[in-house]
């Protein structure tokens, strides 16, 4: 299969059009398109950049070279989390050199014209691509949400390809950009599960984590779901699935836009496999998110994906004015942080002792208390990554369990939730 | 003995094979400061991939693997070559970025169903040919 480029794309590659930075970006997009087997490049309408998180000096130097060579994004582009809370730089304990380079990396993205959103939930910060729109997004949960909930079309774009797509306003035309690659091959049936369980918020991240393990890279269609699943539940589900598997799209029949019917989700074909979920499978998936049997917890962290105002207010309601025995973190974008200031919410959260982690999150940069502790969370994504990234062992719980446990410093369970 | 491969990132190199016996993501699986396998429970845990012809049956596609590869190249501790069991969409981007910085990336090729063993000495040519030396 040969990659065919337009005259304009060829001109940019040959250096006859645009800046050297444009040429660098086009080279990355075109070369990846070649090895991915794409026949052409597809124009994209927006981008979300995961490459602004510091992994070493080389990434900073690369992005600064793009800036120096005149590269600027040509489509609306949001940024995922960086390694720093820019509103409170002392919150993270990176050593000074790394902190400086992490900061320079974030600045380089602003200089390229990215909107400084610094959030892993851009879709709740104003970036809402439309059904069928071609986009080039990074960050696994955002990719899964954009494809699944919004019906926009993107693959999982990795570091440097994401910004290259934003600069060239193009992506390799392969995978989920192409309609026939978006149909489900696997059916996951939830209709045997207790109906009450499907009304619990905590069910959704667990279901996501289970879908990730069952589906891997295969697109699944989930049947038997209630039609009133909230957007925040879908957000937690997508993040869970994209953590435990390379999931970029799930069809939830009767809920998500490309799955009005099972037949539509399957593209009229017969599924290769059908898996009927049992109550035991859900309980096992829930238990797999806890890697500690400890009764004592050292912190609670929420907000992966970043919490929104409604989710923050739920914490306040559950806490009912009673403070915490242990550090309590909520990760959020600055759009939410600003919203919380518009009434008493931020003040009330801080009064309880909650630490708002803005622009970043506790599993990508050292913010949690020193390693070796136990962290409780209602996020499947935090539960999946926290041990490897920070040395803290996760305990998964419902939002109410997290709040009550933080108030006592010990794990408090709500046995009725999972029955 | 020699094998034709599918080229993801063109280049040439030679070295000793280090075969990874379980899937890995470069991000979270390889320490960018030491090139050691740090994924808990991985059969090659603790081994360094620097200067090796690293044969990986299956990568787990983390979106920051490209950044980790770029960092390994920048630090001078990249593998001499990477032989994947199946294509990885993200890893080669780190090599393309390295080339644009003037840093020499390792070749990355796909060779399905091979029996390369750790310790064997091989080369990769610019045309993608892998040869047992």
């Amino acid at each position: 299969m040969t990659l065919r480029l337009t005259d304009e794309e060829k001109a940019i590659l040959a250096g006859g059009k645009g800046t050297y930075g444009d040429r660098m970006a086009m080279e990355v997009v075109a070369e990846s398109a070649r090895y991915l087997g794409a026949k052409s490049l597809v124009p994209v309408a927006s981008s979300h950049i995961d490459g602004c998180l510091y992994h070493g000096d080389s990434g900073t130097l690369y992005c600064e070279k793009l800036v120096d060579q005149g590269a600027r994004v040509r489509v609306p582009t949001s940024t995922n989390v960086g390694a720093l809370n820019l509103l409170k730089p002392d919150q993270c304990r990176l050593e000074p050199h790394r902190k400086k380079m992490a900061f320079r990396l974030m600045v380089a993205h602003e200089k390229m014209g990215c909107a400084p959103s610094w959030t892993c939930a851009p879709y709740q910060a104003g970036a809402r691509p439309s059904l069928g729109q071609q986009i080039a997004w990074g960050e696994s949960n955002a990719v899964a949400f954009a494809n699944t909930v919004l019906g926009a079309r993107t693959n999982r774009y990795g570091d440097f390809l994401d910004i290259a797509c934003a600069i060239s306003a193009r992506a390799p035309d392969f995978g989920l950009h192409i309609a026939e690659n978006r149909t489900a091959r696997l059916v996951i049936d939830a209709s045997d599960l207790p109906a009450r369980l499907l009304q619990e918020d905590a069910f959704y991240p667990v279901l996501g984590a289970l879908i990730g393990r069952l589906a891997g890279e295969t697109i699944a269609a989930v049947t038997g779901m209630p039609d009133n699943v909230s957007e925040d539940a879908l957000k937690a589900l997508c993040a869970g699935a994209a953590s435990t598997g390379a999931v970029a799209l799930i069809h939830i029949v009767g809920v998500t836009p490309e799955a009005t019917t099972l037949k539509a989700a399957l593209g009229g074909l017969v599924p290769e496999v059908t898996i009927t979920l049992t109550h035991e499978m859900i309980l096992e998936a829930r238990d797999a998110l806890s890697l500690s049997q400890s009764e004592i917890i050292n912190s609670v962290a929420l907000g992966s994906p970043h919490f929104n105002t409604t989710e923050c207010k739920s914490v306040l309601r559950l806490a009912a004015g009673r403070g915490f025995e242990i550090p309590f973190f909520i990760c959020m974008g600055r759009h939410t942080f600003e919203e919380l200031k518009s009434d008493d919410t931020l003040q009330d959260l801080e009064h309880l002792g909650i630490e708002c982690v803005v622009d970043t999150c506790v599993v990508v940069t050292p913010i949690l208390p020193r390693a070796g502790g136990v962290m409780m969370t209602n996020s499947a994504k935090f539960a999946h990554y926290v041990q490897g990234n920070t040395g803290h062992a996760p305990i998964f719980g419902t939002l109410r369990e997290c709040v009550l446990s933080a108030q006592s410093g010990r794990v408090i369970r709500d046995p009725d939730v999972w029955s | 003995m020699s094998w034709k491969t599918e080229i993801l990132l063109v280049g040439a190199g030679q070295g000793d094979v280090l075969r990874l016996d379980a899937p890995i993501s470069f991000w979270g699986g390889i320490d960018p400061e030491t090139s050691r396998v740090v994924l808990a429970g991985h059969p090659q845990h603790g081994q360094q991939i620097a200067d090796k012809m690293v044969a990986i049956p299956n990568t787990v596609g983390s979106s920051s693997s490209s950044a980790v590869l770029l960092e390994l190249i920048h630090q001078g501790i990249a593998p001499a070559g990477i032989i994947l069991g199946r294509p990885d969409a993200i890893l080669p981007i780190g090599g393309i970025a390295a080339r644009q910085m003037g840093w020499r990336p390792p070749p990355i090729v796909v060779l399905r169903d091979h029996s390369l063993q750790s310790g064997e000495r091989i080369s990769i040519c610019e045309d993608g040919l892998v040869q047992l030396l």
Side-chain angles (χ1 to χ4, degrees):
Chain A
M1 206 181 308
T2 319
L3 176 67
R4 292 185 61 151
L5 298 175
T6 64
D7 289 343
E8 188 195 12
E9 290 158 359
K10 285 181 194 161
I12 293 169
L13 268 184
K17 185 170 193 286
T19 64
Y20 190 76
D22 290 324
R23 181 176 170 175
M24 287 171 70
M26 188 63 78
E27 250 176 45
V28 170
V29 177
E31 184 147 349
S32 59
R34 181 198 56 75
Y35 71 68
L36 291 165
K39 290 179 190 161
S40 61
L41 307 184
V42 60
V44 293
S46 74
S47 192
H48 178 69
I49 309 298
D50 192 24
C52 42
L53 178 64
Y54 173 81
H55 296 291
D57 290 0
S58 57
T60 304
L61 298 174
Y62 182 71
C63 289
E64 287 180 342
K65 179 164 181 174
L66 285 173
V67 173
D68 292 344
Q69 295 299 330
R72 299 294 179 267
V73 300
R74 290 170 60 200
V75 291
T77 301
S78 47
T79 50
N80 204 55
V81 296
L84 297 176
N85 178 346
L86 295 177
L87 305 180
K88 196 177 175 186
D90 292 340
Q91 190 175 52
C92 116
R93 296 188 308 271
L94 278 179
E95 52 99 354
H97 173 76
R98 287 166 180 258
K99 198 173 263 191
K100 185 181 80 184
M101 294 305 276
F103 177 68
R104 278 170 49 179
L105 181 62
M106 294 170 83
V107 169
H109 282 86
E110 285 203 60
K111 285 184 178 168
M112 284 190 272
C114 301
S117 54
W118 315 124
T119 181
C120 54
Y123 45 82
Q124 292 189 334
R128 299 285 286 199
S130 57
L131 179 63
Q133 197 168 48
Q134 301 285 3
I135 59 172
W137 279 28
E139 165 53 36
S140 66
N141 101 81
V143 168
F145 188 96
N147 277 312
T148 300
V149 181
L150 303 177
R153 298 184 179 183
T154 181
N155 295 300
R156 290 160 63 117
Y157 286 108
D159 291 7
F160 315 132
L161 180 52
D162 49 12
I163 190 72
C165 291
I167 294 163
S168 62
R170 285 165 174 80
D173 195 14
F174 81 111
L176 296 178
H177 289 299
I178 297 169
E180 56 259 38
N181 296 338
R182 299 178 62 88
T183 54
R185 291 282 163 274
L186 164 69
V187 174
I188 296 176
D189 183 21
S191 48
D192 281 0
L193 298 176
R196 207 186 57 77
L197 184 58
L198 276 58
Q199 298 300 325
E200 292 287 347
D201 288 342
F203 167 74
Y204 288 88
V206 170
L207 176 64
L210 180 57
I211 291 171
R213 281 205 199 86
L214 294 173
E217 290 177 14
T218 309
I219 300 171
V222 184
T223 54
M225 299 283 275
D227 55 14
N228 65 343
V229 188
S230 72
E231 177 170 312
D232 290 340
L234 294 171
K235 163 181 158 180
L237 180 148
C238 287
S243 300
T244 56
V247 171
L249 168 61
I250 306 160
H251 293 299
I252 301 169
V253 177
V255 177
T256 58
E258 290 168 277
T260 45
T261 62
L262 177 60
K263 195 177 168 195
L266 289 165
L269 301 173
V270 177
E272 289 162 12
V273 186
T274 298
I275 298 170
T276 304
L277 297 181
T278 64
H279 199 182
E280 289 68 37
M281 289 166 81
I282 297 296
L283 297 182
E284 278 170 29
R286 175 199 66 184
D287 294 343
L289 293 173
S290 296
L291 296 178
S292 170
Q293 304 297 318
S294 174
E295 288 293 310
I296 307 288
I297 53 172
N298 305 102
S299 64
V300 163
L302 311 173
S304 181
H306 274 170
F307 256 27
N308 57 35
T309 300
T310 311
E311 291 169 307
C312 290
K313 287 187 173 178
S314 298
V315 174
L316 277 185
R317 198 180 59 248
L318 290 165
R322 196 173 144 215
F324 304 114
E325 294 293 317
I326 52 172
F328 194 115
F329 301 94
I330 301 181
C331 306
M332 64 183 76
R334 50 174 71 189
H335 59 291
T336 301
F337 191 69
E338 289 304 316
E339 240 175 64
L340 296 179
K341 286 183 189 165
S342 66
D343 54 20
D344 293 336
T345 311
L346 181 63
Q347 202 185 314
D348 292 348
L349 290 169
E350 288 179 342
H351 184 70
L352 282 176
I354 289 173
E355 186 152 352
C356 295
V357 176
V358 182
D359 296 341
T360 185
C361 92
V362 297
V363 304
V364 300
T365 201
I367 288 176
L368 290 175
R370 302 283 173 197
V374 176
M375 186 197 86
M376 193 164 180
T377 184
N378 74 336
S379 158
K381 181 163 186 172
F382 271 168
H384 186 76
Y385 285 113
V386 73
Q387 175 111 57
N389 286 13
T390 71
H392 288 252
I395 290 183
F396 177 83
T398 66
L399 187 62
R400 182 161 181 268
E401 289 171 343
C402 287
V403 170
L404 297 181
S405 301
Q407 287 172 332
S408 76
R410 306 178 73 88
V411 177
I412 292 180
R413 289 297 187 190
D414 195 351
D416 295 341
V417 171
W418 300 96
S419 57
Chain B
M1 227 152 91
S2 65
W3 301 269
K4 280 186 181 160
T5 63
E6 181 187 331
I7 301 173
L8 298 188
L9 190 72
V10 68
Q14 59 178 315
D16 296 335
V17 173
L18 172 65
R19 184 189 173 103
L20 302 189
D21 292 314
I24 200 163
S25 157
F26 270 49
W27 181 76
I30 306 286
D31 179 356
E33 305 211 323
T34 63
S35 91
R36 281 185 202 284
V37 175
V38 288
L39 181 65
H42 193 280
Q44 276 70 42
H45 184 268
Q47 300 212 41
Q48 289 177 294
I49 65 168
D51 302 321
K52 299 289 186 191
M53 285 290 188
V54 60
I56 311 175
N58 195 354
T59 48
V60 180
S62 156
S63 47
S64 294
S65 290
S66 44
V68 173
L69 179 60
L70 182 67
E71 186 64 13
L72 290 170
I73 297 167
H74 178 52
Q75 303 258 356
I77 51 174
I82 299 173
I83 301 119
L84 300 174
R86 46 181 245 188
D88 180 298
I90 290 163
L91 193 59
I93 308 288
I96 300 170
R99 212 169 51 208
Q100 293 181 334
M101 293 300 286
W103 308 331
R104 203 171 71 86
I108 305 177
V109 299
V110 178
L111 179 58
R112 297 166 208 263
D113 305 321
H114 63 76
S115 57
L116 291 170
Q117 294 301 322
S118 291
E120 288 176 338
R121 194 164 177 77
I122 61 165
S123 65
I124 302 177
C125 297
E126 296 227 330
D127 61 3
L129 198 72
V130 169
Q131 275 185 300
L132 199 57
L133 299 177

